[in-house]
Amino acid sequence: VRLALRTVERALSSSFLASHGSLEVRRLLLTAVHDHGGLSGYGEAAPLHSYDGVAMSDVRDALEDCRIVLAGATLADVLDATARAELLAACERRAVLPQALAAIDLALWDLVGRARREPVWRLLAAPAGADPGAALPTITVNWTITSPDRAGAAREASLAREAGFATVKLKVATGDDAGRVAAVRAAAGPELAIRLDANGGWSAAEAPRWLEVLAPAGIELCEEPVAGAEAIEALSAGAPVALAIDESATSPAALARRCADAICLKIARCGGISGLLGAAAQARTLGYEVFIASTFDGPLGIAAALHAAAVLAPDRACGLATLGLFADRPDPLPARAGAIRIPDGVGLGDELVAWYD
Ligand SMILES: [Mg+2]
């Protein structure tokens, strides 16, 4: 199969602020594998340098290093589960970067789905013994609050509640945390779950105090309050809110023992659907609750996460309702009443690639 790459830039509707910086334009790398018979599968690479420290140029180089490996594989290899696993392992040895491996993994799953005329989630469910005739699942998702000020955050919380979301997520360690959390709680009412994400922005010394200050508002959990699995583990003893590991979810410490209540997994960082399901199984064995989130992924990345979620059955609302944050493109996978329907077309889903044009 032949590899093809195309860089895509998409503007966000408004600048998004987190403790690691602000984001206005998202760059993604559309990744295709073309079979000589005319079938194509599509994935994307979605590194975000301010968040994961991985540069797009390095991901592109890593994918170029896989070109020769993919060129030696036929569609029959891709369709055979064992040969496909070997192909992916060969790509992993060359690519090293999980963000690059994810792009290939997604494109191969999409190609398999297109060849078999099945959505990816059904291909994933079949080996696990799930009923292939089961109803199309939906995945519960959170609303992501993007407004950096109290009034805007409160307005979004009201909109989220009216739209039927049960969970909103708010960035913290960005300034005025207590004021914004209080405003969101006031607007959200008592029922809505409020999830915080510090993106590792608090120091180990200040994090306990911040959690004590914010906990009375009623917090579902806080993602990555401090940077690193060991630091989160140390903080979690006696913490007044549940903690989740996100940025450091794939660090050796995080998957050696349970360091927090929950773990947030991402398609790009786990090396794709295959890697995410493996990490999720390992995390569940250790006793973590598992959920999935995106880092402003495009529709192919979001769809991949939804397919994985369909077989994983996440324990908490997933951070996958982020396509609506892009400007100039209708959301091809919109949330309804706080849940997203898994794409039921072939492969990762129909009409998703058009978003990248
Ligand atoms: Mg996070």
Side-chain angles (χ1 to χ4, degrees):
V1 294
R2 182 175 61 84
L3 178 71
L5 304 171
R6 179 158 61 87
T7 303
V8 174
E9 285 193 356
R10 287 279 165 271
L12 299 178
S13 299
S14 59
S15 172
F16 187 76
L17 181 69
S19 70
H20 51 80
S22 70
L23 184 72
E24 285 87 31
V25 174
R26 182 71 167 114
R27 290 178 75 210
L28 300 164
L29 191 59
L30 181 65
T31 303
V33 286
H34 301 294
D35 158 55
H36 301 295
L39 266 185
S40 298
Y42 293 90
E44 68 169 23
L48 184 58
H49 190 264
S50 65
Y51 170 80
D52 57 20
V54 176
M56 183 60 89
S57 56
D58 291 338
V59 172
R60 186 181 262 274
D61 289 348
L63 285 165
E64 287 294 347
D65 288 342
C66 297
R67 182 178 291 281
I68 190 165
V69 178
L70 291 164
T74 64
L75 180 60
D77 293 330
V78 175
L79 294 179
D80 178 85
T82 305
R84 186 170 67 249
E86 286 169 4
L87 178 61
L88 206 60
C91 288
E92 184 173 13
R93 285 192 293 275
R94 286 188 157 249
V96 182
L97 294 174
Q99 291 82 359
L101 185 67
I104 294 172
D105 179 73
L106 265 52
L108 293 178
W109 274 116
D110 191 45
L111 183 58
V112 175
R114 287 175 193 286
R116 300 221 187 280
R117 308 296 303 163
E118 290 274 14
V120 168
W121 74 269
R122 286 189 190 272
L123 300 172
L124 295 169
D131 175 8
L136 183 62
T138 62
I139 302 302
T140 302
V141 292
N142 65 267
W143 174 295
T144 299
I145 291 177
T146 59
S147 301
D149 58 275
R150 293 183 193 187
R155 196 159 50 241
E156 284 194 59
S158 301
L159 288 172
R161 185 170 65 161
E162 285 162 23
F165 285 81
T167 306
V168 293
K169 175 171 152 177
L170 186 67
K171 293 291 185 185
V172 288
T174 59
D176 191 29
D177 295 338
R180 285 183 303 113
V181 168
V184 166
R185 174 53 75 203
E191 301 290 315
L192 212 69
I194 299 177
R195 180 179 300 177
L196 305 180
D197 190 353
N199 292 108
W202 288 326
S203 71
E206 67 187 346
R209 174 75 187 129
W210 274 118
L211 293 177
E212 292 291 345
V213 166
L214 301 175
I219 303 302
E220 179 218 9
L221 61 79
C222 181
E223 292 180 21
E224 202 83 3
V226 291
E230 286 99 343
I232 295 170
E233 183 180 26
L235 179 64
S236 69
V241 303
L243 303 181
I245 296 191
D246 183 358
E247 278 86 341
S248 45
T250 49
S251 69
L255 290 176
R257 59 185 184 272
R258 181 172 168 271
C259 297
D261 303 279
I263 193 163
C264 174
L265 299 177
K266 289 180 166 141
I267 286 288
R269 200 178 44 214
C270 287
I273 294 171
S274 311
L276 188 147
L277 291 175
Q282 197 180 343
R284 283 243 171 91
T285 303
L286 295 171
Y288 285 104
E289 291 184 304
V290 177
F291 61 99
I292 306 178
S294 112
T295 311
F296 297 102
D297 297 358
L300 291 165
I302 297 290
L306 292 168
H307 289 287
V311 294
L312 170 62
D315 302 294
R316 304 258 181 171
C318 289
L320 297 173
T322 49
L323 288 171
L325 304 177
F326 286 95
D328 311 323
R329 290 285 184 288
D331 183 349
L333 298 167
R336 302 266 182 260
I340 304 180
R341 248 176 96 93
I342 294 160
D344 204 31
V346 296
L348 290 174
D350 297 328
E351 312 295 334
L352 298 179
V353 177
W355 186 91
Y356 298 81
D357 289 339

